[in-house]
Amino acid sequence: MTQVTMTVNGKAVSGEVEGRTLLSTFLREHLGLTGTHVGCDTAQCGACTVHVDGKAVKSCNMLALEADGASVDTIEGQANPDGSLNAIQAAFQEHHGLQCGFCTPGMVMAAAALLKENPKPTEAEIRHHLSGNLCRCTGYHNIVKAIMAASGQDVAAVAAE
Amino acid sequence: MYNFEFVKPKTLEEAVAALSAEEAQVLGGGQTLIPTLKQRLAAPAKLVSLSGIEALQGVRADGGVLTVGAGTTHATVAAEAGAYPALAALAGNIADPAVRNRGTLGGSIANNDPAADYPAAVLASGATVVTIAREIAADDFFQGMFTTALNDGEIITAVKFPIPEAASYQKFEQPASRFALVGVFVAKYADGVRVAVTGASEDGVFRWSEAEAALAANFAPEALEGLAVPAEGMIADLHGSKAYRAHLVGVMTKRAVAAAG
């Protein structure tokens, strides 16, 4: 076992892990942060998306020890300081961007990464950016609407109803 | 996944020393290796991560050559390889954004997946693969599906891409994996045209020399009329037959020439 130390949602954390311990496993099983979901476990579905040093990564496809010393942000750290939903989360609620909700933590983290780089993405840019996040319920349209809304854009412009 | 010892050296020298151990394996961005370990298709005793080595990072254009550190992520190449736009575009369309934030150039070409994007760019550019021991021409580097000229423990440090006059990479995506069902990279240089095809052949990435000769005489999609690669030796799977892939090679080459202008 090896000591790993990182900052998760602004708080310093550490734990003892094996070489093979995945970042997703460390977050969920060592820290109890089960908002990060493990869907496919093959780095295709994106439900486990978190930010490492500000960049979106699939936490089921990264070793915990690779994140030693890094700053990690998960869905648990996304709400506003007063506990209310942040703009992206509120837009997902408002525009019904989820049904079963399993993919939603990854969708919100992917959206947050996109809007940080590209504050006013086009619909096509949003869809391209979400290519690694699979949703089996919504058909994506409401997710795209939510991200358009969260970026302060007109959701009526989104094509499919 | 079986357990292993994990080490993350800060220098190439430390990495080389760590790799001299029995059953040691290099870890690049891990976007292929970690799923492989989960499947228990590999079981190294020790993983040597290269992500902490500063010397493997960065993109630099100098004298008509773009040098990319082997540890540079696809996202960084997409953002910083403006001197070679076709390469930046290729890097920005590998897999998905989260994978591009981890996956590296060195990892991709060392793995030499027959449907990976980067091998097409490296081969079509006539690039030079720089390792800790030597420089390897792209034509010698790729030696068939998942096979390269690398020796055990030989770390790729950088790839030097001669910047072409015009180039384009066109990928027909397998929509679930976003790997290339067929991808064609066309690069036009003062002394000729190079065409490299990925995703199609059972021998991995290859050059289509007939197309190169035709395009050297006339760099236009029409120059490819009547040319076709043989279906024999193409990959056949549930996504496409040999004949389908052979057909796509012609289509994607034309598209690449048209896009390169």
Side-chain angles (χ1 to χ4, degrees):
Chain A
M1 302 285 265
T2 308
Q3 173 93 0
V4 64
T5 302
M6 63 186 85
T7 303
V8 177
N9 299 327
K11 277 192 282 196
V13 299
S14 63
E16 295 279 323
V17 297
E18 293 182 315
R20 63 179 166 181
T21 303
L22 298 166
L23 178 58
S24 54
T25 306
F26 182 68
L27 293 170
R28 289 175 54 84
E29 297 177 19
H30 294 242
L31 303 181
L33 296 173
T34 54
T36 296
H37 289 169
V38 177
C40 68
D41 207 19
T42 57
Q44 297 184 68
C45 82
C48 67
T49 303
V50 302
H51 297 182
V52 174
D53 290 332
K55 293 184 157 73
V57 304
K58 295 185 174 182
S59 62
C60 84
N61 215 23
M62 178 171 179
L63 300 173
L65 286 168
E66 283 277 43
D68 190 42
S71 177
V72 176
D73 293 296
T74 73
I75 191 68
E76 286 88 349
Q78 294 300 295
N80 295 321
D82 67 0
S84 62
L85 299 180
N86 77 7
I88 297 170
Q89 293 171 309
F92 268 68
Q93 184 181 53
E94 170 71 21
H95 293 277
H96 209 80
L98 63 154
Q99 289 179 28
C100 87
F102 193 85
C103 72
T104 311
M107 288 289 178
V108 169
M109 298 310 290
L114 171 64
L115 297 187
K116 197 160 56 174
E117 278 177 23
N118 184 355
K120 300 278 183 207
T122 64
E123 182 190 341
E125 287 170 340
I126 293 170
R127 290 184 187 275
H128 187 248
H129 188 84
L130 294 181
S131 62
N133 290 81
L134 304 184
C135 171
R136 301 292 76 175
C137 304
T138 63
Y140 302 97
H141 298 314
N142 287 353
I143 292 171
V144 175
K145 282 184 186 173
I147 298 171
M148 291 293 274
S151 61
Q153 303 187 84
D154 184 5
V155 296
V158 175
E161 281 295 330
Chain B
M1 182 166 20
Y2 294 110
N3 200 20
F4 46 79
E5 183 193 350
F6 174 87
V7 293
K8 190 168 168 178
K10 288 265 187 286
T11 67
L12 274 172
E13 291 71 24
E14 289 167 26
V16 170
L19 282 167
S20 65
E22 281 287 308
E23 310 258 338
Q25 157 87 45
V26 172
L27 173 65
Q31 300 304 285
T32 298
L33 182 55
I34 292 174
T36 305
L37 296 174
K38 287 180 182 179
Q39 296 283 330
R40 296 185 171 177
L41 295 172
K46 180 191 252 187
L47 270 195
V48 181
S49 167
L50 302 183
S51 66
I53 301 175
E54 195 60 38
L56 297 177
Q57 299 295 324
V59 179
R60 190 177 76 249
D62 187 23
V65 175
L66 187 84
T67 302
V68 180
T72 311
T73 63
H74 310 328
T76 299
V77 174
E80 297 181 9
Y84 191 165
L87 185 71
L90 175 148
N93 203 32
I94 297 173
D96 61 59
V99 169
R100 292 196 287 274
N101 282 331
R102 294 291 305 161
T104 66
L105 169 62
S108 172
I109 65 171
N111 188 47
N112 193 17
D113 188 297
D117 299 308
Y118 263 135
V122 171
L123 188 59
S125 304
T128 302
V129 180
V130 185
T131 77
I132 49 169
R134 57 193 167 138
E135 298 201 344
I136 308 170
D139 285 314
D140 301 324
F141 181 82
F142 300 105
Q143 300 190 344
M145 193 180 278
F146 297 112
T147 308
T148 69
L150 293 172
N151 295 318
D152 281 350
E154 185 174 6
I155 299 169
I156 303 169
T157 57
V159 178
K160 297 195 280 193
F161 296 89
I163 299 172
E165 294 170 357
S168 177
Y169 177 63
Q170 295 292 317
K171 168 163 67 163
F172 193 96
E173 278 185 14
Q174 199 279 81
S177 72
R178 291 174 292 280
F179 273 95
L181 197 61
V182 169
V184 178
F185 200 113
V186 172
K188 180 175 183 283
Y189 291 90
D191 61 352
V193 177
R194 292 173 67 106
V195 176
V197 180
T198 188
S201 170
E202 289 176 338
D203 291 328
V205 68
F206 70 95
R207 284 174 67 187
W208 185 14
S209 47
E210 273 185 299
E212 291 180 354
L215 291 168
N218 175 20
F219 193 73
E222 306 80 74
L224 298 164
E225 289 300 336
L227 294 186
V229 295
E232 195 52 42
M234 295 287 116
I235 296 169
D237 57 22
L238 78 167
H239 308 298
S241 64
K242 290 172 190 283
Y244 183 64
R245 278 189 167 81
H247 176 70
L248 273 183
V249 172
V251 173
M252 301 317 284
T253 306
K254 283 182 191 164
R255 287 188 191 174
V257 173

